[in-house]
Amino acid sequence: HMAVMKQQDKEKPGLLARFVPILHWLPHYNKAWLTGDIVAGLSVWALMVPQSLGYAAISGVPVQYGLYAAAIALIVYAIFGSSRHVVTGPTSTIAAVTGAAVLSVAKTGSSEAVALVAVITILAGILYIILSVLKMGWVSNFLAESVLVGFIFGIGIDVAIGQLKHVTGTHVTGESVWQKLASWIASLPHTHTTTLVVGVAALVLLVALKIYAPKVPCALVALVLGIGASAIFDLSAQGVAVVGKVPRGLPIPALPDVSIVTKNFGLILSGAIGVLLVGFSESLAAARQYAAKHHYDIDVNQEMLAQGVANVTSGLFQSINVCGSLSKSSVNDGSGAKSEMASLAQGAFVILTLLFLAPLFADLPEAVLGAIVIEAVVFGLMDVKAMKRIYRLNRTEFWVGTLALLGVLTFGTLQGVLMGLLLSLLVLIARSSKPDIPVLGRWPGTEVFHSLNENPDSETFPGLVIIRFDGALYFATANELRDKVREVTTDVDSPVREVLIDMEGVNYIDLEGSDMLNEITKDMRTVGVEIHLARVKHAVMEMLEKDGVD
């Protein structure tokens, strides 16, 4: 298997095949992989169908639009994607981002909601493609991991609380999660008993299967049993809300109404940017994980192109946003998928579902659909283990992640995206503006220099202090160097005559960094201290020479 994959990698794709990878991998497809790919296709289908129905509901559109998106994304990604194992389709994170935007101005299930979701999906896809053409895949790294973990955890709580009304059969109002939760608690005296029984039974079944039989497709089991119970006991006649008519067949492509775009452009743009940032972070995490596991390369910019084309195509077919899914990719890999053929198989199975099984979903109780979504987000988005790890390794980052979580709960998903970006920026500034500047000593009998804090037995030299600057010397860090030089030369036991700055860790210097070295040199000279530099990189030396500081 590994030998065949290596041989496939050696045969370089042509120019067109680099942009349309299916032209490269399909002619080299190993037929021995077909059984594994089809089994994986069925396994992912069992998870994709029920979840896609629920994620369409979170987005604010009728359930069939989730299946449309799944079918389109699976096939388009197999054509354009560079990963052999990533499964692309609707996910709860981006559905929540889209739903937060759409449901603030449109009613759930309305034609206006469908149009708005389609436009956000198309615009998100266009942004992906633009970033791919500009080779700006680095944008995916812009959300700090601690912020992303906290943000996604908050979305999970938001989505789960939003689904509780379906389990109890009550009506809930409110903008923030706290308002929704308070409204739901206030509505509990009006709980519809039969709906509650159905919803709780579905939740208990889903959690039990997840814990005790993790290989069983619990969402599909709940879906089938929910439809069966609804038909046998005629639950809709007993007041249990059901999904309602789901049309058979495939969607028809349509261009969005220009008036919808102009009227809601700010909302659409913020939703699309949120979908882009969160969706691509998840997509790329999945692609990198399985490329590393199975020893092949992915192309970040090609991944952006694939996600972009998948979203544009989905939007043109009036469907919801899509991205690479960590949970479904895990099922795909665990079920024996060897190539992109598994994704094509999954797409084919979803199309067959739309053609032949769609009308059956009409009897699905909304309580069961709500339970499926709650189970998916509790086990998929609320990553307690990751939060514990961040808490153990870096308390500051833990509190930053917690702020992102609380931002989503308090201000909403879209505002949470903006808050996440700002927090990530603050984390970046905080990390880069506090460089490590250790005082060095020589290990006895060697030419090796260590930090004195870590190696207090190292040799020091009378009248000389050696410090090392670890990081870029630019406007955000220049003052730190000045403060350190003053610290090591002022109020010390023996007088300092020379300071040697080890510049090995400095790979970039800007105008302010150069000015600061000049200023430090002049200031220290007035008190009888000479400044020397060692191990200066060529680019840094070139800057100092141009500025006359050398």
Side-chain angles (χ1 to χ4, degrees), residues 506-525:
V506 182
N507 57 7
Y508 171 75
I509 185 169
D510 72 352
L511 196 61
E512 287 187 53
S514 180
D515 286 344
M516 185 55 72
L517 277 177
N518 201 18
E519 183 187 319
I520 291 169
T521 305
K522 288 175 180 175
D523 285 352
M524 288 294 107
R525 199 166 280 161

Side-chain angles (χ1 to χ4, degrees), residues 166-191:
H166 297 304
V167 176
T168 54
T170 54
H171 294 285
V172 171
T173 57
E175 294 294 320
S176 73
V177 175
W178 310 117
Q179 290 168 340
K180 289 177 193 171
L181 183 59
S183 174
W184 178 72
I185 292 169
S187 75
L188 288 177
H190 308 290
T191 296

Side-chain angles (χ1 to χ4, degrees), residues 213-236:
K215 291 194 174 180
V216 173
C218 57
L220 185 66
V221 171
L223 183 79
V224 171
L225 290 178
I227 293 170
S230 181
I232 293 167
F233 300 108
D234 196 9
L235 294 178
S236 61

Side-chain angles (χ1 to χ4, degrees), residues 301-362:
N301 293 302
Q302 185 64 32
E303 285 299 297
M304 272 201 163
L305 179 67
Q307 295 298 335
V309 177
N311 275 282
V312 169
T313 311
S314 181
L316 288 173
F317 279 89
Q318 306 289 290
S319 305
I320 65 175
N321 296 101
V322 295
C323 73
S325 166
L326 280 163
S327 59
K328 296 181 188 73
S329 299
S330 173
V331 171
N332 193 39
D333 179 49
S335 304
K338 297 288 190 293
S339 74
E340 298 90 336
M341 186 62 77
S343 189
L344 289 178
Q346 291 147 20
F349 291 138
V350 175
I351 288 171
L352 290 173
T353 303
L354 280 164
L355 292 175
F356 300 107
L357 302 178
L360 297 175
F361 300 132

Side-chain angles (χ1 to χ4, degrees), residues 295-524:
H295 312 289
Y296 61 87
D297 295 325
I298 56 153
D299 182 335
V300 173
N301 293 302
Q302 185 64 32
E303 285 299 297
M304 272 201 163
L305 179 67
Q307 295 298 335
V309 177
N311 275 282
V312 169
T313 311
S314 181
L316 288 173
F317 279 89
Q318 306 289 290
S319 305
I320 65 175
N321 296 101
V322 295
C323 73
S325 166
L326 280 163
S327 59
K328 296 181 188 73
S329 299
S330 173
V331 171
N332 193 39
D333 179 49
S335 304
K338 297 288 190 293
S339 74
E340 298 90 336
M341 186 62 77
S343 189
L344 289 178
Q346 291 147 20
F349 291 138
V350 175
I351 288 171
L352 290 173
T353 303
L354 280 164
L355 292 175
F356 300 107
L357 302 178
L360 297 175
F361 300 132
D363 288 331
L364 176 65
E366 286 186 0
V368 173
L369 196 56
I372 289 170
V373 172
I374 290 170
E375 181 274 327
V377 298
V378 167
F379 287 96
L381 303 187
M382 299 184 200
D383 198 340
V384 176
K385 192 184 289 184
M387 290 293 278
K388 280 182 177 177
R389 175 173 170 263
I390 294 167
Y391 182 79
R392 191 176 73 249
L393 297 177
N394 191 317
R395 296 290 166 87
T396 304
E397 294 223 10
F398 171 79
W399 292 116
V400 167
T402 303
L403 273 177
L405 188 160
L406 292 172
V408 173
L409 300 187
T410 307
F411 304 111
T413 306
L414 281 178
Q415 292 84 349
V417 171
L418 181 60
M419 193 168 172
L421 280 172
L422 291 173
L423 286 170
S424 294
L425 191 58
L426 289 172
V427 168
L428 182 65
I429 292 168
R431 282 176 186 164
S432 61
S433 63
K434 287 286 182 187
D436 195 20
I437 315 176
V439 176
L440 305 182
R442 184 170 67 182
W443 190 253
T446 73
E447 292 301 316
V448 177
F449 288 80
H450 294 283
S451 164
L452 279 177
N453 282 340
E454 295 168 11
N455 302 276
D457 296 331
S458 296
E459 293 175 340
T460 56
F461 309 92
L464 169 66
V465 174
I466 306 172
I467 60 174
R468 187 181 68 228
F469 192 89
D470 293 335
L473 183 54
Y474 69 117
F475 66 90
T477 60
N479 286 331
E480 294 289 323
L481 178 60
R482 180 187 58 199
D483 294 345
K484 187 68 177 183
V485 171
R486 285 178 178 172
E487 178 195 317
V488 298
T489 57
T490 308
D491 297 328
V492 288
D493 293 337
S494 56
V496 175
R497 293 286 169 258
E498 293 170 297
V499 174
L500 176 59
I501 305 172
D502 178 1
M503 301 280 282
E504 187 178 28
V506 182
N507 57 7
Y508 171 75
I509 185 169
D510 72 352
L511 196 61
E512 287 187 53
S514 180
D515 286 344
M516 185 55 72
L517 277 177
N518 201 18
E519 183 187 319
I520 291 169
T521 305
K522 288 175 180 175
D523 285 352
M524 288 294 107

Side-chain angles (χ1 to χ4, degrees), residues 67-87:
L67 293 178
Y68 297 158
I72 291 161
L74 288 164
I75 292 168
V76 171
Y77 183 81
I79 295 169
F80 291 96
S82 66
S83 170
R84 296 169 188 155
H85 296 86
V86 166
V87 175

Side-chain angles (χ1 to χ4, degrees), residues 52-266:
S52 295
L53 298 173
Y55 299 156
I58 296 171
S59 298
V61 297
V63 293
Q64 64 267 25
Y65 291 97
L67 293 178
Y68 297 158
I72 291 161
L74 288 164
I75 292 168
V76 171
Y77 183 81
I79 295 169
F80 291 96
S82 66
S83 170
R84 296 169 188 155
H85 296 86
V86 166
V87 175
T88 292
T91 69
S92 50
T93 43
I94 56 173
V97 173
T98 307
V102 169
L103 297 179
S104 65
V105 295
K107 189 180 174 186
T108 300
S110 65
S111 58
E112 187 183 8
V114 171
L116 278 171
V117 169
V119 174
I120 290 173
T121 305
I122 291 169
L123 183 55
I126 291 169
L127 292 176
Y128 271 120
I129 294 168
I130 290 170
L131 293 178
S132 171
V133 170
L134 297 176
K135 299 193 181 302
M136 291 175 66
W138 52 265
V139 168
S140 64
N141 300 322
F142 203 73
L143 281 173
E145 186 181 356
S146 55
V147 172
L148 195 62
V149 169
F151 173 73
I152 289 175
F153 203 116
I155 285 181
I157 295 172
D158 186 3
V159 170
I161 288 173
Q163 295 299 306
L164 290 174
K165 62 186 179 185
H166 297 304
V167 176
T168 54
T170 54
H171 294 285
V172 171
T173 57
E175 294 294 320
S176 73
V177 175
W178 310 117
Q179 290 168 340
K180 289 177 193 171
L181 183 59
S183 174
W184 178 72
I185 292 169
S187 75
L188 288 177
H190 308 290
T191 296
H192 188 266
T193 308
T194 313
T195 301
L196 181 66
V197 169
V198 171
V200 170
L203 265 177
V204 169
L205 173 69
L206 285 161
V207 173
L209 286 176
K210 188 75 177 178
I211 294 170
Y212 299 110
K215 291 194 174 180
V216 173
C218 57
L220 185 66
V221 171
L223 183 79
V224 171
L225 290 178
I227 293 170
S230 181
I232 293 167
F233 300 108
D234 196 9
L235 294 178
S236 61
Q238 297 180 46
V240 175
V242 294
V243 166
K245 187 180 178 185
V246 178
R248 189 199 304 262
L250 303 174
I252 298 168
L255 287 170
D257 189 342
V258 177
S259 64
I260 287 275
V261 179
T262 52
K263 186 178 165 188
N264 303 284
F265 186 73

